[in-house]
Amino acid sequence: MNGTRQWDPEQQQTLLADLREWATALGFSQIGVADVNLAHAEAGLLAWLNNGFHGSMDYMATHGLKRARPAELVPGTVRVITSRMDYLPQATPTEWQSIEWRRLDDPQQAALSMYARGRDYHKVLRARLQKLADRVALAIGPFGHRVFTDSAPVLEVELASKSGIGWRGKHTLMLNREAGSMFFLGEIYTDLALPLTEPVSGHCGSCTACIDICPTRAIVAPYRLDARRCISYLTIEERGPIPVELRPLIGNRIYGCDDCQLVCPWNKYATRSALPDFDVRESVGNATLHALWAWSEADFLHHTEGSAIRRIGFERWQRNLAVAIGNALHAADDPALRAALSSGREACSELVREHIAWALAAAPNERMTPT
């Protein structure tokens, strides 16, 4: 960082207004500004880590309390510019939640989190946040900053909440009265002493819909998530075998899980993205499990180029599909699907073969309930 600049209040407000205008032109939906005092979040972070709720995500613990101390993570930081970028595709119909529930109810369909059906949000947000920072530098000259997009030890929900982007829902995601939760967050750590934006109050009330709907009971209490049980963690972050007792609960979800967002009443206000980057790729947006299982590794790399899905690699992709296909076969036996799964065993890794064996061996209609 280059050192904190001194601005009079009028200059600060003018720069913030300009910042919001430039951000809107770049496709952002909202901009906030938070200070760097996250002391209130330190105890909760330590308790979450001590409970082991981060699972195998060792990087969550690597930086310790630096996650809650922006000025230690990036020396010289005095403000964090927070951003919201809506990601529902432009063509999303009004009844999108009902459509997604129907997809989950069809065992033959492949269900992927909506955010992952277009371009990798890391690439989109990081590039546009950097363009925003460049635009600021063009106006005021070089300044100290660092851009983050879900890529470093940043407590982004805490920062977004503190800056008025929204409030933390009971599912631990950020909620906004005008946009629900279907958006990404990004940050610019900076040495510019911008004016702070005011936080907003929470509006979850007594609602527990997100807790009640979770297939694996991963939301162990309001505002507390055990990632080890979360389907998003299991299908994306977990590198080894998926726990046997959780496999039947995953259903046809092969990359992430949106259930807690689909059921949230605030998502009736979810807004469409202004960017074509998040438009659905047909190859993954409306595919069957059978079609995706037929992919070779070359097919996987081709169809997931520029997508967040590629980060899990072909092995975990096949592992997830094997679980979902097993659940489909348990719901209703399909000789063609069973044959396709069985014929792929020899070419798969040991990890995938074990999940195929589970899928083929479990009794039809077997269902396990959350514990």
Side-chain angles (χ1 to χ4, degrees), residues 3 25 37 40 57 67 84 86 97 118 121 145 159 176 182 188 194 212 218 223 241 252 270 279 293 303 305 329 354:
N37 182 4
H40 65 282
M57 297 184 290
R67 286 183 173 272
R84 179 190 113 221
D86 302 325
Q97 288 160 295
Y121 69 96
H145 70 277
L159 289 165
N176 180 288
M182 312 303 284
I188 302 176
L194 291 164
D212 299 336
Y223 317 105
N252 61 347
D279 289 349
W293 180 253
H303 289 299
E305 183 175 0
L329 292 174
E354 186 275 316

Side-chain angles (χ1 to χ4, degrees), residues 40-41 43-49 51 53 155 157-158 161 166-175 200-212 214 217-227 260 264 266:
H40 65 282
L45 172 62
L46 289 176
W48 188 74
L49 292 170
N51 283 326
F53 287 166
L155 293 184
V157 174
E158 290 295 337
S161 179
W167 72 93
R168 183 187 289 273
K170 293 178 182 178
H171 46 21
T172 75
L173 302 173
M174 184 102 280
L175 282 168
V200 297
S201 58
H203 297 281
C204 288
S206 61
C207 179
T208 60
C210 59
I211 298 173
D212 299 336
C214 180
R217 300 296 184 260
I219 308 171
V220 296
Y223 317 105
R224 186 177 301 173
L225 178 77
D226 184 347
C260 62
C264 179
W266 286 107

Side-chain angles (χ1 to χ4, degrees), residues 108-129:
Q108 300 282 338
Q109 292 293 309
L112 298 88
S113 282
M114 296 187 72
Y115 80 84
R117 298 176 194 173
R119 182 167 171 76
D120 187 348
Y121 69 96
H122 297 90
K123 299 177 184 293
V124 178
L125 262 72
R126 187 180 299 116
R128 290 175 181 268
L129 283 170

Side-chain angles (χ1 to χ4, degrees), residues 310-323:
R310 183 179 281 199
R311 65 176 293 219
I312 69 172
F314 188 55
E315 181 182 52
R316 276 183 276 174
W317 174 254
Q318 285 196 312
R319 176 201 64 185
N320 296 348
L321 280 166
V323 171

Side-chain angles (χ1 to χ4, degrees), residues 48-61:
W48 188 74
L49 292 170
N50 290 337
N51 283 326
F53 287 166
H54 59 302
S56 63
M57 297 184 290
D58 295 336
Y59 62 86
M60 298 292 291

